[in-house]
Amino acid sequence: MFREPSEHILSMRTTDRPLIFVTNDDGVQAAGIAALMRLASEFGDVVVVAPNESYSGMSHSITMQRPLFVSCVSSEPGLDVYSCTGTPVDCVKIGFDEILPDRAPDLVLSGINHGSNANVSVIYSGTMGAATEAAMYGIPSIGFSLTDHSPAADFTAAVHYARGIIEHVLTLPAEQRTGLCLNVNIPDIPLSEIKGIKVCRQTLGCWREEFVHRTDPQNRDYYWMSGRFYNAEPQAEDSDEWALRHGYVAIVPVQTDLTDYRRIDPLRKLFNPLS
Amino acid sequence: MFREPSEHILSMRTTDRPLIFVTNDDGVQAAGIAALMRLASEFGDVVVVAPNESYSGMSHSITMQRPLFVSCVSSEPGLDVYSCTGTPVDCVKIGFDEILPDRAPDLVLSGINHGSNANVSVIYSGTMGAATEAAMYGIPSIGFSLTDHSPAADFTAAVHYARGIIEHVLTLPAEQRTGLCLNVNIPDIPLSEIKGIKVCRQTLGCWREEFVHRTDPQNRDYYWMSGRFYNAEPQAEDSDEWALRHGYVAIVPVQTDLTDYRRIDPLRKLFNPLS
């Protein structure tokens, strides 16, 4: 069953439509990915590989301790949907290296996430983990998030802006597309109230946790994580949090070199005696 | 049982010794963390909160879908060891916000990891996820990794260099320590053959997977992830991969702003019509 749709994909090579890969971290059943795969189908042939359940907060994690199972949920001309028992990054890797070994997608879309991935949340986000993984393969990627955690969130405005952003990214020259990764957050307000798009930088700050501490029926202490974001720069008009709070769609370009270049020279002086 | 060692920690506040927090991603039973907690005890009072099993490859993931259980593995003056059913980042969060709510550690050490976390592996690494999380709390942190995956790896050289690096970091002025995060990788060669320390940048490149594809007893296809790193710049003498290959301990300072600043202006031009 698993191999057949792969053969179907190969047959797509004869078409001129872009191949668009879709994933998320809320799971293949989420309303957000349903909206995104419908939107993606307007632009090209679509292959979806998404987690079989919620992998929210899974960041860039990969599954090394257990095997992955993949099943074909549905297959129709131009739209194949797979479910995978792994993380969002696993879905990208198994999608690129196993399901589509002979054709790289033209674009990867991740989301639409139920909840914001602005500020440092980008680091914890499985949605953005998948998008950055795709960019590491050189494939342009866009992660979309709506600042509403509700499973029944209204994706109308998110889809409207996502459509425009996808159109623009698909028209970019190849050298600008390669490795492009966008973190797009859409405010949870009616479409008519959104003021437009702002290209931003990631807001600095951190999450602090307030664990809910309870005792289970076996008298063991347990802790549920529950936190809030502390914005270190609430006045920064070029930050994604500011844009969202002021009614804009926030786009942050993302990269994967974590080197803190400003610290290299001072550290070279510090460690010179050990060298 | 869980609260008592916390009270013990509070009693530490009367001592002048630094408080050092230790975690890892290979699990509380790993040889690497045993070596690191012994080393940490040379410098101060030590609190260990580490996963109850291997969370290798868990990146910056947090546990939102299930509760966390924490148990005290051992407690002696100056060394408390806790096991947590969560990821390395969970261990830092529950350690800082629940176990040590009244005193921030002076330093966080993560590792010693069994296996390299150089190059883009820093992004997938649970060891480095914990270290960067600590830095986001403002606490200086160091992740140590030995380029030997074996559970019985020889940590002699790693401990030797880790000792020198910890000494230097603890003597830094406060403004240089705040938010410092170091990714330290030690080559798997005898101590006498190590040439010294190089402060580097993260090597660019990517992992490509070769999934092992088999069929289980229920006739279901399954996939084990197995990949290799493709170095995009093998000649770059300022990269961590080059340093390790040439017999140096590699130190890369790490930061958590993922913004790709070079793309902001071109993207502003691209999306202007939508703004």
Side-chain angles (χ1 to χ4, degrees):
Chain A
M1 183 172 90
F2 177 57
R3 278 286 159 189
E4 287 164 24
S6 175
E7 290 158 17
H8 167 70
I9 297 303
L10 292 179
S11 71
M12 284 184 181
R13 301 184 70 174
T14 59
T15 78
D16 289 333
R17 303 193 80 200
L19 177 58
I20 301 182
F21 185 95
V22 175
T23 190
N24 76 343
D25 75 356
D26 291 314
V28 71
Q29 305 293 342
I33 199 171
L36 190 56
M37 66 176 88
R38 275 196 303 273
L39 176 62
S41 291
E42 298 177 13
F43 293 94
D45 292 327
V46 177
V47 174
V48 180
V49 184
N52 63 324
E53 58 183 355
S54 173
Y55 275 79
S56 196
M58 287 302 274
S59 183
H60 213 97
S61 63
I62 51 175
T63 302
M64 302 164 69
Q65 315 297 331
R66 58 180 175 80
L68 300 173
F69 293 88
V70 180
S71 56
C72 182
V73 174
S74 65
S75 180
E76 56 187 85
L79 176 60
D80 289 313
V81 181
Y82 298 88
S83 161
C84 171
T85 60
T87 68
V89 172
D90 291 336
C91 290
V92 170
K93 286 182 170 292
I94 210 161
F96 286 15
D97 291 328
E98 283 289 321
I99 300 177
L100 298 168
D102 300 316
R103 184 180 174 193
D106 298 289
L107 180 65
V108 169
L109 306 178
S110 187
I112 302 170
N113 194 63
H114 295 243
S116 169
N117 281 317
N119 67 61
V120 295
S121 299
V122 62
I123 296 168
Y124 304 92
S125 163
T127 298
M128 287 309 301
T132 54
E133 180 65 25
M136 288 165 78
Y137 278 76
I139 312 296
S141 65
I142 316 174
F144 294 104
S145 305
L146 176 67
T147 64
D148 178 357
H149 278 96
S150 160
D154 178 1
F155 289 98
T156 308
V159 166
H160 175 88
Y161 274 92
R163 182 180 288 115
I165 293 166
I166 294 167
E167 274 173 4
H168 277 68
V169 167
L170 284 174
T171 61
L172 280 174
E175 68 274 15
Q176 287 181 44
R177 276 206 311 272
T178 302
L180 179 72
C181 178
L182 302 182
N183 182 18
V184 178
N185 283 272
I186 299 108
D188 177 35
I189 55 179
L191 176 56
S192 61
E193 293 177 20
I194 295 182
K195 292 179 188 158
I197 287 176
K198 269 198 185 289
V199 178
C200 310
R201 63 178 175 81
Q202 172 191 320
T203 309
L204 301 180
C206 66
W207 283 81
R208 288 287 182 274
E209 311 308 323
E210 287 150 18
F211 287 90
V212 175
H213 180 185
R214 291 182 183 143
T215 305
D216 79 357
Q218 282 78 45
N219 212 31
R220 301 177 302 174
D221 285 355
Y222 67 85
Y223 299 83
W224 282 110
M225 191 177 290
S226 163
R228 56 170 291 215
F229 175 66
Y230 288 83
N231 190 335
E233 41 178 12
Q235 307 306 327
E237 296 191 10
D238 59 345
S239 71
D240 55 0
E241 281 295 324
W242 191 96
L244 288 168
R245 226 171 37 246
H246 289 81
Y248 292 92
V249 172
I251 301 184
V252 176
V254 169
Q255 56 85 39
T256 52
D257 180 357
L258 305 191
T259 309
D260 189 349
Y261 287 95
R262 295 163 308 175
R263 292 200 193 252
I264 283 187
D265 282 344
L267 287 169
R268 283 193 176 140
K269 291 192 185 81
L270 178 69
F271 290 116
N272 192 43
L274 291 178
S275 299
Chain B
M1 184 171 91
F2 178 57
R3 280 286 160 187
E4 285 164 24
S6 176
E7 290 158 17
H8 168 69
I9 296 306
L10 292 179
S11 72
M12 283 184 182
R13 301 183 71 177
T14 59
T15 79
D16 287 334
R17 305 192 78 201
L19 177 58
I20 301 182
F21 185 95
V22 176
T23 190
N24 76 344
D25 75 358
D26 291 314
V28 70
Q29 305 293 343
I33 198 170
L36 190 56
M37 66 177 87
R38 276 195 302 274
L39 176 61
S41 291
E42 297 177 14
F43 293 94
D45 292 328
V46 177
V47 174
V48 180
V49 184
N52 62 325
E53 58 183 357
S54 173
Y55 276 77
S56 196
M58 288 302 275
S59 184
H60 213 97
S61 62
I62 51 175
T63 302
M64 301 163 68
Q65 314 299 331
R66 57 180 175 81
L68 301 173
F69 293 88
V70 179
S71 56
C72 182
V73 174
S74 64
S75 179
E76 56 186 86
L79 178 59
D80 288 313
V81 181
Y82 298 87
S83 161
C84 171
T85 59
T87 68
V89 172
D90 291 336
C91 291
V92 170
K93 285 181 172 294
I94 210 161
F96 287 15
D97 290 329
E98 283 288 324
I99 300 178
L100 298 168
D102 299 316
R103 184 180 173 193
D106 299 290
L107 180 64
V108 169
L109 306 177
S110 186
I112 300 170
N113 194 63
H114 296 243
S116 170
N117 281 317
N119 67 62
V120 296
S121 298
V122 64
I123 295 168
Y124 304 93
S125 163
T127 298
M128 287 309 301
T132 53
E133 179 66 23
M136 287 164 79
Y137 277 77
I139 313 296
S141 65
I142 317 173
F144 294 104
S145 306
L146 176 67
T147 65
D148 178 356
H149 278 96
S150 161
D154 178 0
F155 289 99
T156 308
V159 166
H160 175 88
Y161 275 93
R163 182 181 290 114
I165 292 165
I166 294 168
E167 274 173 4
H168 278 67
V169 167
L170 284 174
T171 61
L172 280 174
E175 68 275 14
Q176 287 182 45
R177 276 207 310 275
T178 302
L180 180 72
C181 178
L182 302 182
N183 182 16
V184 178
N185 282 272
I186 300 108
D188 177 34
I189 55 179
L191 177 56
S192 61
E193 293 177 22
I194 294 182
K195 291 178 187 159
I197 287 176
K198 269 197 184 290
V199 178
C200 310
R201 63 179 176 81
Q202 174 191 321
T203 310
L204 301 179
C206 65
W207 284 80
R208 288 288 182 272
E209 312 308 323
E210 288 151 17
F211 287 90
V212 176
H213 180 184
R214 293 182 183 141
T215 305
D216 79 357
Q218 282 78 45
N219 212 31
R220 300 178 301 174
D221 285 355
Y222 67 85
Y223 299 84
W224 281 110
M225 191 176 290
S226 162
R228 54 168 295 215
F229 176 67
Y230 288 83
N231 190 334
E233 42 178 11
Q235 308 307 326
E237 297 191 11
D238 60 345
S239 70
D240 55 358
E241 281 294 324
W242 191 96
L244 289 168
R245 227 170 38 245
H246 289 81
Y248 292 92
V249 172
I251 301 184
V252 176
V254 169
Q255 56 85 40
T256 52
D257 181 357
L258 305 191
T259 309
D260 189 349
Y261 287 95
R262 295 165 308 177
R263 291 200 193 252
I264 283 188
D265 281 344
L267 286 169
R268 283 193 175 141
K269 291 194 185 81
L270 180 69
F271 289 115
N272 192 44
L274 291 178
S275 297

